[in-house]
Amino acid sequence: MRRRALLATAATSLPAFIAGCTGPGRLGGSNAAAEAPTARLELETLADANLPTKVLYTVRPAEGNDETARLFDRILDGGATTKATRPPFPEQRHIAYQDGVYELSYEVIEETPATRYSVKVDIVTDSVTEAEAIQFADLPEVDQEEFAAHGLADGDPVGIGTTFLYTDAEREQSVLVPESEYSYITWDDGTEAEWVVDDAYNTTLNTYRYSADQVATAADYGQQMRERFSFELTGLPDAQQDIVETAITDGPYVVDPDETPSDALVALANRFRGHEQAHGLDEDGEGDLSGTYLVRYQGDVYWTTLVVQHDAFQTASTS
């Protein structure tokens, strides 16, 4: 069996943990076409303050025009309202943001009938028919705002399908929906786009009023996770200890898809059975052996990923 660091393109079978703006941390492999390894063990040290983002729905600090983070900032500043067809954040779930963990609640204070249109801002393949074209600058404000909301106000990129949302009142002001008066949109720099409305469905634009409660600081939340979920690997035989220390010093310990796991690895994996996987303090843990754990080893706590996919791991080993 080879002991080596996992190549960046290797894939794993451990499901990604969800999440939204962004979800909790996930495995590094991204090549879906690669065959998953028979087993994978990875250990990395993490400060308590960094543990919440591994398991919780996480909002990243605002970078540029990040409306999600800006909205979260406004909520933390004393509450805020926002309009959307669905809640922009999960309700009654712990959410990690910067140095804290929060729980949001909301109420719907207004409901406005609206229509969502499936549209294409497409590449022009033929010549533009002038009688069917309109300059972007001449579009009504409601249409320009929808383009801007999707990053299309400058005409680049085009060739995409997306959805535009109009309230009933906005629809009356539009020249693009429901029945478009134009087939092409042009910009002053010469950019051209074909405009196509494919479909439409009714929806409701809700106005949400949000408030937030801080559950804990990130460091305190991580400490609670460590105290609740961590377990110690101690008294390991030399072969098992070698596996753990290889995973710590050389990167993930991997058993290739065409290899059989050693008895030592099977026995080491069995030490994880019965221990709760790391997860948000407001959630239930997973029951499978494969997953993420907090492991204490020789005085340090490690964020540990264990993935196993071989029949040898299905039953306990006495080796």
Side-chain angles (χ1 to χ4, degrees), residues 146-191:
E146 274 301 296
F147 270 77
H150 293 78
L152 299 170
D154 59 0
D156 184 34
V158 294
I160 66 167
T162 186
T163 62
F164 279 15
L165 180 71
Y166 290 84
T167 65
D168 289 358
E170 291 169 341
R171 184 181 59 204
E172 296 301 318
Q173 303 171 44
S174 172
V175 298
L176 298 180
V177 298
E179 299 294 334
S180 180
E181 300 177 21
Y182 301 95
S183 299
Y184 303 96
I185 301 170
T186 61
W187 281 260
D188 289 338
D189 64 357
T191 300

Side-chain angles (χ1 to χ4, degrees), residues 22-270:
T22 64
R26 60 184 61 192
L27 299 181
S30 61
N31 185 356
E35 188 176 357
T38 296
R40 179 177 185 266
L41 178 68
E42 181 176 7
L43 294 89
E44 61 173 320
T45 55
L46 279 182
D48 287 348
N50 294 328
L51 290 177
T53 59
K54 287 288 190 178
V55 298
L56 299 179
Y57 180 99
T58 299
V59 177
R60 304 297 177 186
E63 296 181 2
N65 188 28
D66 188 335
E67 290 300 325
T68 301
R70 293 178 187 276
L71 172 58
F72 208 91
D73 282 333
R74 296 201 308 272
I75 294 171
L76 296 185
D77 284 342
T81 60
T82 187
K83 294 183 178 182
T85 56
R86 293 181 297 178
F89 301 108
E91 185 184 18
Q92 295 180 337
R93 280 182 54 189
H94 292 172
I95 299 174
Y97 181 61
Q98 295 188 320
D99 297 328
V101 175
Y102 304 88
E103 186 172 312
L104 302 185
S105 59
Y106 69 81
E107 60 176 327
V108 177
I109 60 174
E110 185 178 0
E111 297 179 344
T112 304
T115 305
R116 189 174 292 279
Y117 296 90
S118 296
V119 304
K120 291 178 183 176
V121 184
D122 215 346
I123 297 171
V124 176
T125 56
D126 296 320
S127 59
V128 171
T129 304
E130 292 299 327
E132 299 177 11
I134 183 173
Q135 277 275 336
F136 180 81
D138 294 333
L139 286 173
E141 184 177 352
V142 292
D143 293 325
Q144 292 191 34
E145 288 176 349
E146 274 301 296
F147 270 77
H150 293 78
L152 299 170
D154 59 0
D156 184 34
V158 294
I160 66 167
T162 186
T163 62
F164 279 15
L165 180 71
Y166 290 84
T167 65
D168 289 358
E170 291 169 341
R171 184 181 59 204
E172 296 301 318
Q173 303 171 44
S174 172
V175 298
L176 298 180
V177 298
E179 299 294 334
S180 180
E181 300 177 21
Y182 301 95
S183 299
Y184 303 96
I185 301 170
T186 61
W187 281 260
D188 289 338
D189 64 357
T191 300
E192 301 173 338
E194 184 177 5
W195 171 256
V196 180
V197 179
D198 283 333
D199 201 1
Y201 61 90
N202 295 330
T203 187
T204 301
L205 182 63
N206 298 313
T207 300
Y208 298 94
R209 177 184 288 142
Y210 270 94
S211 59
D213 291 316
Q214 183 168 10
V215 176
T217 65
D220 286 345
Y221 196 94
Q223 179 181 343
Q224 294 177 55
M225 288 179 58
R226 173 170 49 81
E227 293 172 348
R228 174 173 168 178
F229 302 127
S230 65
F231 65 95
E232 189 163 9
L233 288 179
T234 186
L236 299 180
D238 289 346
Q240 295 181 34
Q241 182 172 320
D242 186 45
I243 292 172
V244 172
E245 293 185 356
T246 297
I248 292 173
T249 59
D250 296 341
Y253 182 98
V254 177
V255 181
D256 285 334
D258 58 346
E259 295 181 333
T260 299
S262 67
D263 289 344
L265 179 58
V266 173
L268 176 62
N270 284 334

